[in-house]
């Protein structure tokens, strides 16, 4: 049995929250525990939805926020928060060192060098999991003052890690450009997964109007407005169920009302309630829009894995990594992004042929069980990670 330090120093990820990143954290911890390892969680943000089966995980919480810096100019406020992020990560590392952990698994966050510190001090291996090009995201969509410090922290983490996992090939390319030529072979692509024990096949409700479900935060880059337009031009009758909440909620409700659509806005649900939220649907949708730029098509959306695990055929935009998850004509249908007519036609085709929808859904379920369980994801990340790798990583 290994004592694993799971480190998440990102203040934007509540480890016991409801967002996709939170689910990712929880599932990796579950898989470590299923292997028989002891997991200790080191984080900067807790969240309020701790699952019952993780309630006994020891947690070290070092918050980043809570400092009153309202008197500072905006740029100075951002700079101060960046320094607090780095300091919080270092504090987490110091505690993990005192705990004498045997393996570090860190979800990459800006300014953290926790993995580098712990692995160097204890001579243990580490795995750095990279889910997004955070430096680019922070610079382009939010604020980044000390980019040099962020780049240096990432370089130190990658140099020390025995393995760097990237959620998709674009993320792997992004991180490899920041590594020395002799370090690039440490990067491996490990897509997201799904808990196939928690999410079981659902059964479509019988009735005149089959149900079509979307799960996710109601934000512009999820394309829900296109899905609502598709419902308005559909030929066959079906009812849309939207599971989630977000800043686009009021506008989407107004759009549905304007188009005279009877749409179920179910609101946000906890990860444990996702199986119930999917139950009764005939198919599920991931309608990402064309506005997702080529540089941002690195995502490996958890919702699509969950749809397939629930034996729902998936209608998804042919964009980014989605064609690698949804097998067209086998586990679902791919359509051009931002095309309501094409999206409606694909949904209509499955609504008109529920037997084909069922076959695709079951094929998707089989694929998730065989290749995309979280246990498989973790196994892929840990290949070759052992005591010998700790020496390699420090070389």
């Amino acid at each position: 049995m290994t004592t694993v330090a799971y480190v998440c120093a990102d203040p934007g990820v509540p480890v016991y929250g409801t967002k996709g990143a939170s689910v990712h954290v929880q599932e990796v911890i579950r898989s470590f525990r299923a292997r028989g390892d002891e997991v200790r969680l080191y984080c900067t943000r807790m969240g309020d939805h701790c699952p019952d089966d993780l309630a006994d995980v020891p947690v070290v919480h070092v918050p980043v926020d809570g400092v009153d810096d309202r008197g500072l100019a905006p740029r100075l406020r951002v700079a101060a928060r960046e320094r607090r992020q780095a300091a919080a990560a270092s504090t987490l590392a110091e505690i993990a060192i005192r705990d004498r952990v045997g393996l570090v698994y860190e979800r990459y966050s800006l300014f953290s060098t926790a993995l580098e510190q712990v692995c160097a001090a204890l001579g243990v291996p580490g795995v750095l999991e990279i889910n997004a090009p955070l430096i680019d995201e922070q610079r382009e969509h939010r604020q980044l003052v000390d980019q040099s410090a962020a780049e240096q922290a990432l370089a130190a983490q990658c140099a020390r890690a025995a393995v760097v996992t990237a959620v998709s090939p674009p993320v792997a390319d992004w991180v490899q450009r920041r590594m020395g030529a002799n370090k690039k072979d440490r990067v491996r692509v490990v897509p997201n997964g799904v808990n196939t024990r928690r999410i079981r096949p659902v059964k479509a409700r019988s009735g005149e109007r089959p149900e079509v479900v979307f799960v996710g935060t109601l934000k512009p880059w999820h394309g829900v407005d296109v899905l609502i337009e598709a419902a308005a031009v559909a030929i066959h009758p079906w009812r849309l169920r939207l599971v989630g909440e977000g800043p686009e909620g009021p506008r989407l409700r107004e759009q549905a009302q304007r188009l005279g659509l009877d749409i179920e806005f179910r609101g946000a649900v906890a990860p444990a309630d996702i199986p119930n939220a999917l139950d009764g649907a005939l198919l599920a949708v991931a309608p990402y829009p064309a506005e997702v730029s080529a540089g941002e098509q690195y995502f490996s959306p958890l919702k699509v894995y969950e749809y397939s695990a629930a034996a729902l055929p998936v209608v998804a935009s042919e964009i980014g990594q989605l064609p690698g998850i949804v097998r067209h004509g086998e586990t679902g249908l791919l359509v051009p992004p931002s095309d309501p007519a094409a999206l409606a036609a694909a949904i209509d085709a499955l609504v008109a042929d529920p037997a084909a929808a069922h076959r695709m859904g079951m094929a998707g379920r089989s694929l998730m069980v065989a290749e995309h369980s979280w246990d498989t994801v973790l196994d892929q990340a840990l290949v070759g990670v052992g005591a010998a790798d700790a020496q390699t990583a420090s070389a």
Side-chain angles (χ1 to χ4, degrees):
M1 181 181 74
T2 302
T3 300
V4 179
Y6 187 108
V7 181
C8 180
D10 189 337
V13 178
V15 292
Y16 291 145
T18 60
K19 60 198 302 186
S22 308
V23 173
H24 196 295
V25 171
Q26 295 162 27
E27 295 295 1
V28 172
I29 291 174
R30 286 190 179 99
S31 289
F32 267 118
R33 282 158 63 98
R35 293 164 58 94
D37 295 322
E38 176 190 355
V39 181
R40 295 175 178 267
L41 177 57
Y42 302 80
C43 66
T44 59
R45 186 174 173 190
M46 285 289 293
D48 300 320
H49 297 85
C50 180
D52 292 342
D53 65 321
L54 299 182
D56 61 335
V57 173
V59 180
V60 175
H61 176 214
V62 178
V64 169
D65 296 317
V67 175
D68 187 356
D69 55 11
R70 289 173 294 181
L72 297 176
R75 185 172 176 83
L76 293 177
R77 189 181 308 132
V78 173
R81 192 169 193 266
E82 291 175 355
R83 292 191 294 272
R84 292 199 303 273
Q85 285 182 237
S90 290
T91 300
L92 293 173
E94 292 167 4
I95 299 170
I97 292 168
R98 291 201 299 269
D99 289 343
R100 308 294 299 178
V101 300
L103 172 71
V104 181
Y105 187 102
E106 180 165 6
R107 181 185 176 93
Y108 166 56
S109 62
L110 291 171
F111 307 108
S112 173
T113 57
L115 178 148
E116 192 279 331
Q117 292 175 248
V118 179
C119 293
L122 299 180
V124 299
V127 176
L128 182 66
E129 173 196 281
I130 302 184
N131 296 283
L134 294 184
I135 294 172
D136 295 355
E137 283 190 347
Q138 191 74 11
R139 183 185 63 247
E140 295 168 12
H141 301 298
R142 291 178 284 275
Q143 287 181 286
L144 180 61
V145 173
D146 198 344
Q147 179 169 337
S148 176
E151 296 278 7
Q152 290 173 18
L154 175 59
Q157 296 275 78
C158 291
R160 180 64 60 175
V163 169
V164 178
T165 68
V167 76
S168 65
V171 173
D173 291 342
W174 179 82
V175 70
Q176 284 176 327
R177 291 196 300 270
R178 289 162 166 78
M179 301 175 70
N182 64 331
K183 308 285 187 182
K184 291 183 178 181
D185 61 349
R186 295 182 186 174
V187 180
R188 66 180 61 148
V189 176
V190 182
N192 280 328
V194 64
N195 187 328
T196 54
R197 294 182 295 271
R198 181 173 64 88
I199 299 184
R200 307 292 299 175
V202 300
K203 185 177 181 181
R205 294 191 184 96
S206 59
E208 294 182 359
R209 297 175 63 199
E211 295 180 83
V212 174
V213 65
F214 165 88
V215 178
T217 308
L218 302 183
K219 292 183 177 179
W221 55 84
H222 283 165
V224 181
D225 57 334
V226 177
L227 178 56
I228 292 176
E229 286 186 53
V233 299
I235 296 174
H236 293 281
W238 43 271
R239 185 169 188 244
L240 186 57
R241 181 196 311 167
L242 303 179
V243 181
E245 197 51 84
E248 290 289 289
R251 187 177 72 83
L252 295 173
R253 288 179 172 86
E254 186 278 329
Q255 179 188 11
Q257 184 177 28
R258 173 168 43 82
L259 294 173
L261 297 174
D262 175 24
I263 293 177
E264 178 185 0
F265 286 84
R266 185 165 291 192
V269 301
D273 294 328
I274 289 296
N276 289 335
L278 298 175
D279 193 34
L282 176 70
L283 62 95
V285 191
Y288 288 94
E291 288 75 16
V292 178
S293 68
E296 294 176 325
Q297 293 175 17
Y298 54 79
F299 48 80
S300 178
L302 289 174
K303 66 166 63 66
V304 177
Y305 294 94
E306 292 179 335
Y307 293 161
S308 288
L312 293 172
V314 182
V315 177
S317 299
E318 191 170 12
I319 190 172
Q321 308 309 302
L322 288 171
I325 307 170
V326 179
R327 298 182 178 179
H328 182 73
E330 181 181 344
T331 68
L333 299 173
L334 295 168
V335 299
S338 300
D339 187 334
L343 182 59
I347 295 173
D348 280 346
L350 294 177
V351 168
D353 192 349
H358 178 72
R359 286 195 301 271
M360 289 185 186
M362 293 307 296
R365 167 74 186 180
S366 297
L367 180 64
M368 295 302 109
V369 171
E371 299 182 16
H372 294 292
S373 72
W374 282 113
D375 294 343
T376 300
V377 168
L378 185 59
D379 286 345
Q380 292 172 351
L382 295 179
V383 169
V385 176
D389 297 275
Q391 301 302 319
T392 303
S394 61

